[in-house]
Amino acid sequence: MTKDGTNRPAAVTEATQPKQAGDLRDRWGWVEPSGWTERRLTRLEHSEPKTVGYGLWDKVWAPKNLQAAFWAVWRNDGAPGVDGQTVAQFDAESEAQLARLREELREQRYRPQPARRVWIEKPGRTEQRPLGIPAVRDRTVQAAVRNLLEPIFERDFARSSYGFRPGRGCREAVAQVEQWLSEGRVWCLDADLAGYFDTIPHDRLMERVKRRVVDGSVLRLRDPFLKAGVREELPGWPPTERGTPQGAVLSPMRANLYLDPLDHEREQRGWALVR
């Protein structure tokens, strides 16, 4: 009822307008549907920053999620890990390979192998960059875990970060910089974190994970991924005490998760950040 006594329909705002399933999938089109139903995505969208994720473990080793995870590995291809198995070889017997992984995960017998260390040239520099290449089966499990965890963390990531994020990349970052230049911002600070991936402290990273994920089985799996170690030509390998190997499926998400507080802090200070 309005002041003049007439009845008028309430204004439909973005907050009160029903969210259609199609709109939901447009916003979360990159999410693997085998692990995230529309109902669960709706709950995630309306969750508070302190809401924790649980009941994830059975979805990690669900057949459809493991299959989707291997397809992601297959599309990316890449070199074999320490066991020498190629993506093509895994694919040739994928049904048996995935069934074996599913049972190992379900019974919590799965243990990742160390990553294979390779060195690549840095463009324009004499130094080399270390890559840690997990075995195909380990990349598949990491992709399965990422399918479940990435939407939870993406829900809260700062708008200023563009690296290694779904639907974002260099083009979007450059477009943002150009917009700020057009607004009259003329000063720019270019910063680089040397050896960032290899120096992330595991304890602080896990603290960040535990703020949003409390599923014990999933958390127990992440520690072996971080501690699996890296093997070079020498026999044996030490466990990884810090860092997350460049080349691992989960590493980009971990890197963004650890830097996210810095991103939010700079946004709150009003700094025009693009990372």
Side-chain angles (χ1 to χ4, degrees):
M1 182 76 70
T2 61
K3 291 183 179 180
D4 59 6
T6 60
N7 289 316
R8 297 177 184 173
V12 178
T13 65
E14 183 179 354
T16 60
Q17 188 174 7
K19 297 184 182 296
Q20 301 298 322
D23 296 334
L24 186 70
R25 277 300 172 188
D26 286 342
R27 292 189 297 276
W28 296 91
W30 54 271
V31 173
E32 172 52 46
S34 63
W36 287 91
T37 62
E38 291 177 356
R39 181 178 180 181
R40 293 188 68 225
L41 283 176
T42 301
R43 290 169 54 191
L44 179 64
E45 275 203 339
H46 291 86
S47 66
E48 296 294 328
K50 294 183 179 180
T51 302
V52 294
Y54 57 90
L56 302 172
W57 180 240
D58 61 324
K59 299 174 182 61
V60 169
W61 49 265
K64 289 185 178 180
N65 186 42
L66 279 178
Q67 181 66 71
F70 173 63
W71 283 340
V73 173
W74 180 85
R75 287 192 298 269
N76 196 49
D77 199 11
V82 294
D83 59 1
Q85 186 181 49
T86 66
V87 173
Q89 290 170 338
F90 189 101
D91 186 31
E93 49 185 21
S94 61
E95 185 175 348
Q97 292 277 3
L98 293 176
R100 176 186 170 192
L101 277 178
R102 184 164 62 250
E103 288 305 304
E104 290 181 9
L105 289 166
R106 185 177 66 85
E107 299 173 3
Q108 300 197 14
R109 294 185 291 106
Y110 168 79
R111 294 294 182 271
Q113 302 173 79
R116 182 171 66 90
R117 172 73 81 203
V118 297
W119 296 85
I120 62 173
E121 301 291 337
K122 285 188 176 183
R125 301 184 183 181
T126 57
E127 58 189 283
Q128 293 181 316
R129 172 177 298 166
L131 289 184
I133 304 177
V136 176
R137 70 192 311 267
D138 295 331
R139 299 206 293 268
T140 299
V141 175
Q142 288 193 37
V145 173
R146 182 188 60 187
N147 287 346
L148 274 298
L149 297 189
E150 193 167 39
I152 297 174
F153 299 132
E154 275 289 327
R155 161 71 171 72
D156 303 324
F157 280 164
R159 295 171 297 175
S160 57
S161 66
Y162 291 86
F164 308 114
R165 294 186 59 187
R168 291 180 163 222
C170 294
R171 291 183 179 180
E172 290 77 15
V174 170
Q176 180 63 76
V177 171
E178 290 178 342
Q179 178 181 336
W180 280 329
L181 290 174
S182 68
E183 294 173 359
R185 299 175 185 260
V186 295
W187 289 95
C188 177
L189 172 63
D190 182 15
D192 182 26
L193 299 176
Y196 172 60
F197 277 77
D198 295 327
T199 56
I200 297 176
H202 290 173
D203 55 346
R204 295 181 184 178
L205 175 62
M206 289 304 296
E207 287 177 7
R208 297 288 306 161
V209 174
K210 291 177 181 179
R211 292 182 183 183
R212 291 290 266 142
V213 177
V214 296
D215 190 306
S217 296
V218 174
L219 292 175
R220 282 192 294 273
L221 184 62
R222 290 181 64 85
D223 193 60
F225 278 142
L226 289 170
K227 302 292 186 183
V230 178
R231 176 189 284 180
E232 299 195 48
E233 297 300 326
L234 298 177
W237 63 91
T240 309
E241 298 299 335
R242 64 175 182 170
T244 179
Q246 294 189 58
V249 175
L250 285 171
S251 290
M253 184 182 71
R254 293 169 181 159
N256 278 328
L257 179 62
Y258 190 67
L259 273 185
D260 190 54
L262 176 64
D263 296 336
H264 283 287
E265 174 68 20
R266 291 186 176 185
E267 284 187 352
Q268 292 172 3
R269 291 172 180 248
W271 296 359
L273 171 70
V274 174
R275 181 179 65 77

